[in-house]
Amino acid sequence: DEEGRDCNEIPSPNFMCSENGNPEELTFTYVGGECEQSFNSQEDECEDFENEPSITSLVVCKDSDGTVLSSQTVTIGDTLTVPNPGRTLGDVLVCDVFETGDNKKVQTLRIATTLLSLKDVFGSLRLESCDEQSCLVSITYTYEIENIGTNVMDVTTLVRERVNKSENLIGLVDDTSLNVGESTVAKETEEFDICVASQTTTTVRAEADPPADKPCFDEEEYVLTIVGVLTSPPTDPPTVTPSESPSDPPSPSPSDPPSPSPSDPP
């Protein structure tokens, strides 16, 4: 990742955002949902208006004192950051969602910044990070190409396939001309959600031409496995209701009186 840690060493974030007080910065993903799709651990204050949020919308977020902190046009899947440099956010963050065509308001959110958990969903917005706690981590892939042949090689192709998408990364290769025994690298960075379980397979194919012979190629595969740690908001009811008290009443007291003491004197 950005701190130089191996993928297996990246720690899971703390899902509770408010343990160190109000955050200074929040990052959301725009999901384009209506209020009924909200899923969070606070008393949700979400209001839908006449139209539902579109694929692309303008999101304006204000601090509790009315100061505009963020105004961004986003498409479903995009992230938006609400910063407040130098000081923490107020207790309530108000975000309005507008249509991009006629600037008509379609949704208003009132988010309590003191009761936040990562992956909380508030209508159109899903919380991804609060200050240093984040579900989104940038991971750098490093591809090393080595000339193990007996001739000078010119690297011509470096194709990477991931999640059904293919891209030629030849423009990222440091040096495409390799003498015998030399190597070169290409690096690319992609953002992953470490709070949700997933398995991502990356396949890389490199091709190179010698001075006078058939092209050479090699292919490698790497599987990145993420063990998600997502939990439900604490307001969810228990899955099993407590057992009812016993329906049978306690046994009655004995109906026969105790035996009398002996009537004959000793």
Side-chain angles (χ1 to χ4, degrees), residues 8 141 198-203 221-226:
N8 297 325
Y141 283 85
S198 65
Q199 190 173 74
T200 305
T201 300
T202 298
T203 303
E221 181 181 282
Y222 177 76
V223 179
L224 175 64
T225 301
I226 296 175

Side-chain angles (χ1 to χ4, degrees), residues 208-249:
D209 290 340
D213 206 342
K214 295 181 179 180
C216 300
F217 70 89
D218 193 17
E219 186 173 289
E220 291 289 342
E221 181 181 282
Y222 177 76
V223 179
L224 175 64
T225 301
I226 296 175
V227 180
V229 292
L230 180 60
T231 57
S232 300
T235 53
D236 284 359
T239 55
V240 180
T241 55
S243 301
E244 296 181 357
S245 57
S247 55
D248 295 328

Side-chain angles (χ1 to χ4, degrees), residues 54-151:
S54 304
I55 295 176
T56 300
S57 297
L58 171 66
V59 180
V60 179
C61 293
K62 303 176 183 179
D63 206 348
S64 52
D65 61 2
T67 303
V68 175
L69 302 175
S70 174
S71 179
Q72 301 178 53
T73 299
V74 288
T75 299
I76 290 177
D78 288 349
T79 58
L80 60 119
T81 299
V82 181
N84 198 20
R87 65 188 183 94
T88 58
L89 295 166
D91 290 343
V92 177
L93 179 70
V94 180
C95 293
D96 294 319
V97 182
F98 300 90
E99 290 185 346
T100 55
D102 55 10
N103 209 36
K104 189 174 182 179
K105 185 187 292 188
V106 295
Q107 190 176 84
T108 292
L109 306 169
R110 290 178 59 83
I111 302 170
T113 61
T114 57
L115 298 171
L116 289 175
S117 297
L118 297 182
K119 292 302 181 182
D120 276 351
V121 179
F122 305 92
S124 294
L125 302 181
R126 183 179 66 223
L127 182 64
E128 305 291 1
S129 69
C130 46
D131 294 339
E132 292 80 14
Q133 302 298 329
S134 179
C135 286
L136 304 179
V137 174
S138 294
I139 294 177
T140 299
Y141 283 85
T142 301
Y143 312 113
E144 184 176 0
I145 306 168
E146 183 180 1
N147 182 0
I148 59 174
T150 58
N151 297 299

